[in-house]
Amino acid sequence: MKQLVIDFQKCDAGRNCNHECEMECAVRVFKVDDPKQAALQIKAYEDGGGHAVLCDQCGDCVVVCPTEALKRNKLGVVMIDKKVCVGCYMCIGFCEKEAFMRNSDWLTPHKCTSCGVCVKVCPHGALSIVDVPEPPVRII
Amino acid sequence: MSQLVFDPSKVMDIDYTKRTEYLDGLEAIKAAHKVLKEITYTPSLPDKGYTNRSLYVNVDTLEITEKPVTQQMKDVFIGGRGFGLWHLWNAVKPATRWNDPENEIVISPGPVAGMTQYAGTGKSLVVSLSPQTDIPIDSNVGGFYGPLLKFSGFDALELQGKSDKDIILFIDGQKGLIRIEEAPTDPVDSHVLAEVLTHMYAENEADLPNISVVSTGAAAEHSLIGMLNFSFYDRRRKCVRFKQAGRGGIGTVFRDKKIRALVIRGPKVAGDMNHPADPETIAKTGIKYHKEIRENDGSQCMMRRNGTAHIVEIMDAYDLLPVHNFQFGSHPDTHKIDSAYWQSRCTQHTVDGCWYGCSMACAKGADGLVLKTGPYKGDMVTVDGPEYENAAGLGSNCGIFDPDYLLELNFYCDTYGICTITYGTLCAFVMECYQRGILNKERTGGLEMVWGNAEASLEMMHQMARGEGFGKLAGQGVKKLKERFIQNAWGDPQLITDIGMENKGLEYSQYLSKESLAQQGGYALTNKGPQHDEAWVIFMDMVNKQLPTFEDKAEALYYFPLFRTWFGLNGFCKLPWNDVAPKNNSSQPEAHKIPEHVQNYVDLFSATTGIQIDKEELIHQSAKVYNFQRVFNIRMGKGLRLHDAAPYRSMGPVTKEEYESRAERYDKQIVEEMGLDPVGKTTEEKMALHREWRTGRFSKLMDSVYTRRGWTLDGVPTLERLKELGLDVFPEVVEVVKQHL
Ligand code: SF4
Ligand code: SF4
Ligand code: SF4
Ligand code: SF4
């Protein structure tokens, strides 16, 4: 499955960049001019490392979704079908990585699609899309 | 208490999509339907939780009318159970009984119901005059019917009259039509009927979750203990599942009206259909709660693993699990039906909420059960639960510890449309009568009702469904059985009275209350009879020890019935309130109330309706309806102190065996509580001391609770109390009370 990963050796969480990744994700993927709505959030820069809120396509949210609005696509990426979603936000509450996002203006939540848009704009080449095996379904 | 660790490798691997299908006859059944009446209407969505109209249907005259929901209804009765009681009050007279045509079944979801962001928000409240108690009964049930009713345009549905042929009421909230159809050849039992109807009324596969069916089964027709199944479509299992409006016999009223089923086709659900005043607060509160479940459930109640069955072994460990008709509180075989077992037997890797957004997900399902008896012998079915009450009632209370039989009993109760709790308590009573010689093989028509005889219990149930033999008699419920046994001089009347576990005509639910004075009151000092909807206080009293003094117990019996009533006014489930708690809860003041969750409810109500309330106002809202219901009972000729009397089995040891099995405890109480010396006294003498002490204590509790509730010592709400609650605006209410002051 396609998974977005970050290399904190390279990412400096905004010291020498403008969070291009977040902005690009917000604008290009979710069509909003607000980096807070991006599916990835590079949160802090601590002791030389950093903290990224990133969806690793673990699939936990698929398990808890009551409507089967969440499914893996052919690339193994967890995608939301907004027409089916009932806006219960269990996916948000059950995502351990806190990577399921919510925009107050929208009824349905949104998440990373492993599209790679952010990868292309990072000036430090810190992001990449990798292909890893799908983890087994967890009982949550 | 030891905490179970969840071990995924011990989960049984059963294909949960596999079961017997019943769709073969669908076309023929459909062809036999005949439209008796059809009207069109304009569907509408709620505004701040209310659609502001209700639907009245008379199944005899075929009248279908809309009624406005007035501001006064919303101010005083809020919705749900409140609306149900108000409609029923206006429909019946003091002389009305359950099988009179003017009796109604009212279904109302409440203003918050249908919210999808918080756990336990999809409840329907069902109100009717009970065949068992002759007073209003109300039942809080999951499934999709209530929310879909509201999203189709109605805050409540009133069903009145008696049809002379079997009918189905179909509401199509997508197209805006309401139809009464004659249904001459429809299946009788819920698991077949609801599957057929769900597929009959859904226009395609994606439409299946928009259908909900209310139905009952064969035994509801031949007994007084019928219940209603409210369906929801389980997308993963690809089957129709149920939650039950169990207590008090509403299913019997349903069949007496010759209603075969109610079918609703609602619009596709989305997250904002209540059009709440403040969606942001709802979203934030919901997400906070979902996180709390994720973080705490695994180390607290494990509701997502076991549902309510998680307390079987806790109850056993604290000597509170009903065994052999509430004689004892534990049994060496309990481990066979404890939560570790259900964890392996109930399918785990699926979503088990009874409405969208329920992260507590207690509605577990045991898949792949192959039935061993009855008309569906050999069929493979999915069984709901078993919930704690079923494991205890159908199981330990009858001495049955075989989990497969327990599931089968559970399944047949559900599909035959009878209440598992009621059935469990009445079967336990029959078994004890059999063991004590009050009954014998001749009197039961050959049923050997000894402890643990699951096959006999099943056969009694099948008889109930066929309307035959001893099973038919048993279906009258414990109260009428007691009267019959005494009338036939089959045993000592005092013993029969003491061990028949009913109050107001309703059977006790499954907790041993002998050592919990609070729960004794929680059962008996109720509006509708002994259940755990109004006052489930045994856990906080006996396990968490949060009600140490007499005053604490009396106060709990003021606060909790009101607090819990509020869930029923709004369409909330009670479980998410206290089956998980914030990590810091125990260090909060009034921890037993779970203050953070109370605040959640305050916020959710305010955010939905736009009416700002606080936790005091929440209680005040409930108090109006609770006291109204009490007056309603009085109006129907009950509702006084004498009707709150409890069978002695709920209070203390009735028999020598009970006393001697816990002699150390009882002897100690003689010393410490009564200041007497048990030495040299016979068991009978000691039992008499206990009886005096325990009944005296209960009577004192009654006095305190009534006073705290603002009632006279006869249990009648005072005029001052009615005034305080604004109920004095209804002259009829004041009139009822005046006759008793
Ligand atoms: S991933 Fe790249 S663009 Fe994003 S914060 Fe890190 S360095 Fe900046
Ligand atoms: S949103 Fe969260 S739960 Fe869902 S796949 Fe991504 S990381 Fe996993
Ligand atoms: S918000 Fe939508 S996608 Fe998320 S769990 Fe609920 S229904 Fe599924
Ligand atoms: S806790 Fe259980 S009964 Fe309550 S709403 Fe959730 S699934 Fe239904």
Side-chain angles (χ1 to χ4, degrees):
Chain A
M1 77 189 185
K2 300 285 182 212
Q3 184 187 59
L4 178 67
V5 289
I6 188 161
D7 180 354
F8 275 111
Q9 304 289 325
K10 295 180 182 160
C11 169
D12 63 4
R15 254 201 297 173
N16 292 301
C17 79
N18 296 311
H19 285 261
E20 285 86 348
C21 56
E22 289 171 11
M23 199 60 195
E24 193 74 358
C25 174
V27 172
R28 295 266 318 275
V29 184
F30 299 109
K31 321 279 184 233
V32 276
D33 199 11
D34 174 8
K36 285 202 200 71
Q37 307 303 340
L40 81 168
Q41 297 288 322
I42 313 297
K43 282 244 162 114
Y45 187 54
E46 302 152 356
D47 316 330
H51 177 65
V53 173
L54 230 56
C55 165
D56 62 5
Q57 311 298 346
C58 70
D60 282 3
C61 52
V62 178
V63 179
V64 298
C65 174
T67 61
E68 299 189 312
L70 296 170
K71 282 192 174 135
R72 286 190 191 277
N73 67 11
K74 276 193 253 71
L75 300 172
V77 177
V78 175
M79 301 291 285
I80 178 169
D81 182 345
K82 289 191 197 155
K83 290 198 298 299
V84 178
C85 168
V86 295
C88 71
Y89 307 142
M90 286 193 344
C91 48
I92 299 181
F94 278 76
C95 173
E96 287 175 358
K97 292 109 200 170
E98 314 224 323
F100 223 123
M101 305 296 176
R102 187 179 70 90
N103 179 340
S104 308
D105 297 336
W106 302 339
L107 215 48
T108 53
H110 58 285
K111 71 177 290 298
C112 169
T113 59
S114 287
C115 65
V117 160
C118 54
V119 174
K120 293 192 195 108
V121 295
C122 172
H124 302 285
L127 294 165
S128 51
I129 297 279
V130 295
D131 210 345
V132 294
E134 244 173 60
V137 173
R138 285 215 305 166
I139 296 176
I140 299 176
Chain B
M1 141 190 28
S2 71
Q3 187 58 59
L4 278 159
V5 179
F6 177 60
D7 181 355
S9 70
K10 298 235 170 80
V11 173
M12 273 183 208
D13 195 16
I14 289 172
D15 179 355
Y16 64 68
T17 61
K18 256 177 78 182
R19 69 188 56 76
T20 305
E21 265 197 23
Y22 299 98
L23 295 175
D24 279 354
L26 192 152
E27 288 309 323
I29 295 164
K30 189 175 176 182
H33 281 199
K34 201 174 111 204
V35 176
L36 300 176
K37 169 104 181 224
E38 179 171 300
I39 64 148
T40 56
Y41 78 102
T42 316
S44 66
L45 286 173
D47 174 35
K48 301 193 189 72
Y50 290 102
T51 65
N52 297 312
R53 57 179 170 168
S54 68
L55 182 66
Y56 171 87
V57 176
N58 189 306
V59 298
D60 172 26
T61 63
L62 306 183
E63 176 187 346
I64 303 176
T65 26
E66 288 180 18
K67 290 183 184 176
V69 167
T70 62
Q71 192 58 43
Q72 184 185 52
M73 278 171 74
K74 294 199 275 185
D75 291 344
V76 181
F77 298 101
I78 309 296
R81 170 174 163 191
F83 281 7
L85 288 165
W86 174 240
H87 283 306
L88 189 64
W89 172 283
N90 292 318
V92 303
K93 297 184 281 295
T96 305
R97 288 297 169 259
W98 68 277
N99 51 359
D100 288 323
E102 66 260 30
N103 186 21
E104 288 194 345
I105 297 172
V106 190
I107 300 175
S108 174
V112 177
M115 171 188 286
T116 58
Q117 290 80 17
Y118 198 83
T121 49
K123 296 293 185 173
S124 307
L125 280 295
V126 196
V127 175
S128 188
L129 283 184
S130 159
Q132 294 193 269
T133 65
D134 293 328
I135 52 175
I137 185 82
D138 60 271
S139 200
N140 177 323
V141 56
F144 287 9
Y145 193 86
L148 294 181
L149 176 71
K150 193 161 76 165
F151 298 155
S152 297
F154 303 106
D155 289 332
L157 166 66
E158 284 175 84
L159 298 161
Q160 200 178 35
K162 283 167 83 157
S163 170
D164 54 4
K165 32 191 163 316
D166 285 329
I167 58 125
I168 284 174
L169 173 69
F170 174 53
I171 301 173
D172 190 329
Q174 293 187 28
K175 292 194 176 137
L177 61 88
I178 301 169
R179 206 155 64 208
I180 301 174
E181 297 174 19
E182 190 184 344
T185 62
D186 281 47
V188 171
D189 294 323
S190 272
H191 81 291
V192 184
L193 176 61
E195 181 176 314
V196 168
L197 295 180
T198 300
H199 287 269
M200 191 183 297
Y201 290 93
E203 300 210 332
N204 49 51
E205 212 190 312
D207 202 24
L208 290 167
N210 303 326
I211 307 284
S212 176
V213 177
V214 178
S215 65
T216 183
E221 216 160 312
H222 304 297
S223 73
L224 299 182
I225 65 170
M227 61 71 171
L228 292 178
N229 284 302
F230 278 55
S231 82
F232 62 104
Y233 186 73
D234 184 326
R235 302 179 201 223
R236 285 176 170 79
R237 287 186 171 88
K238 304 210 182 306
C239 78
V240 174
R241 297 185 56 203
F242 302 107
K243 296 295 275 188
Q244 292 77 26
R247 309 306 320 273
I250 307 178
T252 302
V253 181
F254 195 79
R255 284 307 294 147
D256 185 60
K257 295 188 176 305
K258 286 219 167 229
I259 303 172
R260 180 59 77 202
L262 311 173
V263 182
I264 194 145
R265 176 166 178 258
K268 194 240 144 220
V269 174
D272 62 344
M273 290 175 79
N274 271 329
H275 292 118
D278 173 10
E280 191 57 20
T281 296
I282 292 174
K284 286 193 170 132
T285 312
I287 292 169
K288 178 181 75 161
Y289 186 84
H290 295 326
K291 273 191 189 160
E292 190 180 317
I293 293 261
R294 162 163 68 80
E295 288 167 3
N296 302 350
D297 181 51
S299 59
Q300 293 181 4
C301 298
M302 299 186 82
M303 294 293 283
R304 289 180 63 81
R305 300 275 82 84
N306 311 318
T308 57
H310 78 270
I311 57 172
V312 172
E313 60 271 26
I314 303 173
M315 290 293 132
D316 186 84
Y318 282 83
D319 211 26
L320 303 170
L321 182 77
V323 170
H324 296 171
N325 193 30
F326 301 91
Q327 291 186 74
F328 314 112
S330 60
H331 194 280
D333 287 339
T334 299
H335 65 95
K336 294 183 186 161
I337 57 165
D338 70 3
S339 68
Y341 176 75
W342 297 118
Q343 205 170 93
S344 71
R345 186 63 186 80
C346 292
T347 300
Q348 295 290 339
H349 43 292
T350 184
V351 176
D352 280 319
C354 67
W355 173 244
Y356 301 116
C358 189
S359 41
M360 183 148 269
C362 83
K364 309 317 294 177
D367 296 287
L369 182 78
V370 179
L371 298 167
K372 289 194 275 253
T373 72
Y376 305 103
K377 185 174 171 177
D379 286 7
M380 185 189 277
V381 294
T382 289
V383 192
D384 251 312
E387 300 185 27
Y388 164 76
E389 297 284 340
N390 308 348
L394 304 171
S396 61
N397 215 1
C398 299
I400 294 170
F401 294 94
D402 178 315
D404 273 356
Y405 270 128
L406 218 163
L407 284 174
E408 183 150 344
L409 285 159
N410 199 150
F411 171 81
Y412 272 115
C413 272
D414 288 353
T415 201
Y416 283 158
I418 50 175
C419 170
T420 48
I421 298 175
T422 301
Y423 183 86
T425 296
L426 89 79
C427 182
F429 172 65
V430 165
M431 284 180 165
E432 184 171 359
C433 287
Y434 194 95
Q435 299 279 138
R436 293 190 188 280
I438 297 163
L439 290 174
N440 52 41
K441 232 172 157 172
E442 201 183 313
R443 290 173 185 168
T444 62
L447 294 175
E448 229 175 312
M449 299 304 293
V450 294
W451 298 126
N453 192 347
E455 284 170 21
S457 176
L458 276 163
E459 183 48 31
M460 183 165 87
M461 203 185 290
H462 296 317
Q463 289 181 354
M464 217 177 267
R466 297 194 300 264
E468 289 172 14
F470 185 77
K472 184 171 183 195
L473 177 67
Q476 298 298 297
V478 169
K479 181 162 192 265
K480 299 211 164 49
L481 285 181
K482 285 204 291 203
E483 288 162 6
R484 172 71 73 98
F485 296 170
I486 292 171
Q487 199 181 50
N488 291 359
W490 283 353
D492 173 10
Q494 183 67 52
L495 177 71
I496 294 173
T497 306
D498 283 348
I499 66 175
M501 286 290 281
E502 59 84 21
N503 146 297
K504 303 180 181 67
L506 190 71
E507 287 73 9
Y508 272 67
S509 76
Q510 309 300 334
Y511 296 94
L512 196 80
S513 55
K514 280 178 204 162
E515 296 311 312
S516 171
L517 180 61
Q519 190 58 49
Q520 290 165 28
Y523 272 142
L525 312 184
T526 44
N527 270 333
K528 56 181 179 257
Q531 23 69 45
H532 48 286
D533 177 40
E534 277 174 64
W536 186 70
V537 290
I538 196 159
F539 208 87
M540 65 179 76
D541 192 25
M542 302 303 292
V543 180
N544 293 343
K545 314 257 187 254
Q546 289 159 321
L547 308 172
T549 67
F550 184 84
E551 288 68 34
D552 292 334
K553 297 179 206 295
E555 180 61 25
L557 293 178
Y558 165 74
Y559 176 81
F560 286 107
L562 295 182
F563 178 64
R564 295 168 71 96
T565 289
W566 193 81
F567 293 128
L569 306 183
N570 283 290
F572 277 118
C573 172
K574 300 170 301 286
L575 306 185
W577 159 59
N578 71 342
D579 276 314
V580 71
K583 281 208 176 81
N584 66 354
N585 185 62
S586 57
S587 61
Q588 301 299 307
E590 300 194 294
H592 61 303
K593 294 183 180 173
I594 325 234
E596 186 179 320
H597 288 180
V598 174
Q599 189 58 42
N600 287 353
Y601 288 115
V602 164
D603 293 343
L604 294 173
F605 179 86
S606 303
T608 301
T609 61
I611 302 162
Q612 298 303 318
I613 61 163
D614 56 20
K615 62 180 200 274
E616 285 77 29
E617 177 59 21
L618 181 158
I619 294 298
H620 189 67
Q621 289 182 334
S622 288
K624 293 182 212 174
V625 177
Y626 197 79
N627 281 274
F628 178 80
Q629 190 167 358
R630 184 73 178 183
V631 177
F632 202 158
N633 288 351
I634 299 170
R635 180 183 180 223
M636 302 309 292
K638 301 225 172 149
L640 303 175
R641 186 181 186 109
L642 99 120
H643 306 108
D644 284 346
Y648 186 61
R649 177 59 64 73
S650 72
M651 288 189 255
V654 173
T655 62
K656 262 175 100 168
E657 304 88 90
E658 282 164 88
Y659 192 99
E660 283 163 5
S661 75
R662 271 85 179 147
E664 201 182 321
R665 174 198 298 158
Y666 294 137
D667 283 356
K668 197 167 151 217
Q669 287 168 340
I670 292 179
V671 179
E672 288 177 1
E673 305 285 347
M674 303 171 222
L676 300 169
D677 184 4
V679 177
K681 293 192 169 62
T682 63
T683 300
E684 282 82 358
E685 286 165 346
K686 292 192 283 190
M687 280 165 59
L689 286 176
H690 265 273
R691 192 161 185 135
E692 202 189 320
W693 170 59
R694 285 166 183 264
T695 49
R697 196 173 63 153
F698 181 76
S699 180
K700 204 174 131 216
L701 182 75
M702 269 180 152
D703 292 348
S704 302
V705 172
Y706 285 173
T707 308
R708 181 67 181 95
R709 288 180 182 174
W711 298 355
T712 68
L713 291 185
D714 198 23
V716 181
T718 61
L719 286 175
E720 297 76 69
R721 183 67 175 139
L722 294 185
K723 217 175 202 142
E724 218 173 84
L725 297 168
L727 291 174
D728 57 334
V729 300
F730 304 109
E732 252 196 297
V733 170
V734 175
E735 220 27 65
V736 170
V737 164
K738 269 193 179 155
Q739 290 165 22
H740 293 272
L741 293 174

